[in-house]
Amino acid sequence: MADDWFRSPLWTETARTDFESRLARARARNRAQYLRIKGLALADAGEVVAARALWQRVLTDEGEFAHLESAGALEHLGDSYAREDPIRAEHYYRRLIGEHPSLNGTTAMQHVKLAELLIRRRQPRDLHEAALLLDVMSRDVVPGTRL
């Protein structure tokens, strides 16, 4: 499992030290990917705060492919806050849609996720925006297919 050092759900002091050591030796162009994937493993293991910290690092990484990984990191951040801090989740979803309109590297469901947050607030303005977001999604579907 040495090849999957960045997929381990462990986040003890020893595990953190090992991860950071391996990350420092990794090619700069791969570091953002390793950070994002390690964040997923940590989030799945219940280490959400640590996962968020790694995803934030993806957003500031300057490696060659970091921009590609930042779309996924923004989605992960939004998803991680959706229940406990919907305003923060909204921020990350809006940032993702603005910075990565193609939604490559994501589930491409940010319009729906944002609409869900807005619907929960039940304010007329928010409901109107949610309808517009869902309309955008329905127009992006290939004719003859269903959502």
Side-chain angles (χ1 to χ4, degrees):
M1 191 111 156
D3 292 340
D4 290 343
W5 56 271
F6 54 92
R7 295 183 191 278
S8 167
L10 298 177
W11 205 237
T12 62
E13 185 64 39
T14 302
R16 283 192 299 272
T17 301
D18 181 60
F19 175 78
E20 293 296 343
S21 173
R22 289 173 185 255
L23 186 66
R25 291 191 311 263
R27 290 187 177 114
R29 67 177 185 228
N30 295 332
R31 289 183 188 143
Q33 180 182 27
Y34 295 149
L35 288 165
R36 189 184 64 75
I37 292 170
K38 180 67 171 184
L40 287 172
L42 293 177
D44 286 346
E47 295 281 355
V48 179
V49 172
R52 288 173 181 157
L54 294 181
W55 295 327
Q56 287 291 342
R57 287 173 61 186
V58 171
L59 301 180
T60 60
D61 191 282
E62 295 180 0
E64 182 179 354
F65 301 116
H67 182 73
L68 300 174
E69 296 299 326
S70 69
L74 286 167
E75 180 174 22
H76 303 326
L77 283 161
D79 292 349
S80 77
Y81 284 109
R83 289 193 187 275
E84 74 182 54
D85 190 346
I87 292 171
R88 188 172 286 183
E90 177 182 346
H91 162 78
Y92 287 117
Y93 293 146
R94 287 186 189 283
R95 182 174 168 189
L96 172 55
I97 291 166
E99 292 179 13
H100 304 274
S102 71
L103 304 179
N104 288 342
T106 72
T107 63
M109 295 296 292
Q110 286 68 46
H111 292 87
V112 173
K113 292 174 181 185
L114 180 54
E116 288 175 342
L117 293 175
L118 295 170
I119 289 168
R120 279 191 235 155
R121 289 200 299 229
R122 300 192 183 281
Q123 299 299 311
R125 189 174 110 244
D126 293 332
L127 294 173
H128 177 73
E129 183 182 0
L132 293 174
L133 286 163
L134 295 174
D135 185 52
V136 166
M137 286 295 297
S138 69
R139 282 186 272 125
D140 287 343
V141 174
V142 177
T145 63
R146 294 179 164 209
L147 283 178

